[in-house]
Amino acid sequence: MIATAATPAALAQGWSALSLLHGRIETRIERALQAGHGLSAREYVLLEVLSRQHDGEGGHLQMKQVADAVTLSQSATTRLVTRLEDRGLLSRYLCLTDRRGIYTDVTPAGLTLLADARPTHDAALREALAEAGRDTLLRPLVEVVEAASPTARS
């Protein structure tokens, strides 16, 4: 646990700034993905998460793990999966070793859409961070996000 001497008011202000940054980024990404690809930000994240699965042991995610990754409840995640399945972007099938388990995979059409949408997502993220970086309240948070990126650490 991190010890902090910050007052409750200072913590609340920090949380408010973090929430503001998140909202600005998500709004920018949502608009860009909807306009360019007919895809919501949550749909993009779901496709991204599921595209990183593999067929080896432990390679498929359980619905709870998927829900955690897209920050939705399990029921909301199931509805999201169903919508993308109806669009032909995902498919579901029974686990071969546990017939109670159901796996979800990204279809070739889903992988194509994800590949097409990735540059749009990345550009919108960069634009949102650049804009937020000009705000003195948000600049320190933007610096943390940038420092946490894998390319910044390599």
Side-chain angles (χ1 to χ4, degrees), residues 45 55 57-58 62 69 82 118 145 154:
V45 170
D55 284 332
E57 187 174 327
Q62 297 174 347
T82 299
R118 188 172 284 119
V145 170
S154 47

Side-chain angles (χ1 to χ4, degrees), residues 3-153:
T4 180
T7 66
L11 290 173
Q13 183 179 5
W15 172 244
S16 178
L18 181 59
S19 181
L20 178 62
L21 177 62
H22 177 268
R24 285 186 183 181
I25 291 170
E26 191 166 56
T27 298
R28 174 73 62 105
I29 290 171
E30 182 78 27
R31 286 181 183 151
L33 288 173
Q34 282 289 352
H37 308 281
L39 199 60
S40 74
R42 295 249 193 231
E43 290 168 339
Y44 175 88
V45 170
L46 179 63
L47 289 172
E48 180 68 37
V49 166
L50 291 175
S51 76
R52 292 193 305 259
Q53 296 183 119
H54 58 84
D55 284 332
E57 187 174 327
H60 280 85
L61 300 173
Q62 297 174 347
M63 194 55 74
K64 172 150 181 25
Q65 293 170 299
V66 174
D68 289 345
V70 296
T71 61
L72 291 172
S73 68
Q74 281 188 256
S75 62
T77 301
T78 299
R79 288 190 301 274
L80 183 59
V81 166
T82 299
R83 280 198 313 270
L84 292 179
E85 184 179 34
D86 290 347
R87 290 174 57 190
L89 303 174
L90 297 177
S91 63
R92 289 188 246 200
Y93 63 94
L94 290 175
C95 172
L96 296 176
T97 58
D98 179 0
R99 302 301 276 176
R100 296 169 296 169
I102 298 176
Y103 290 151
T104 303
D105 274 337
V106 182
T107 64
L111 291 172
T112 297
L113 180 58
L114 179 62
D116 291 346
R118 188 172 284 119
T120 302
H121 172 275
D122 295 349
L125 175 59
R126 280 191 301 274
E127 291 165 6
L129 287 170
E131 182 180 306
R134 292 188 291 272
D135 182 320
T136 57
L137 176 66
L138 300 178
R139 186 176 308 120
L141 295 173
V142 170
E143 290 170 358
V144 169
V145 170
E146 290 171 340
S149 74
T151 55
R153 292 181 295 219

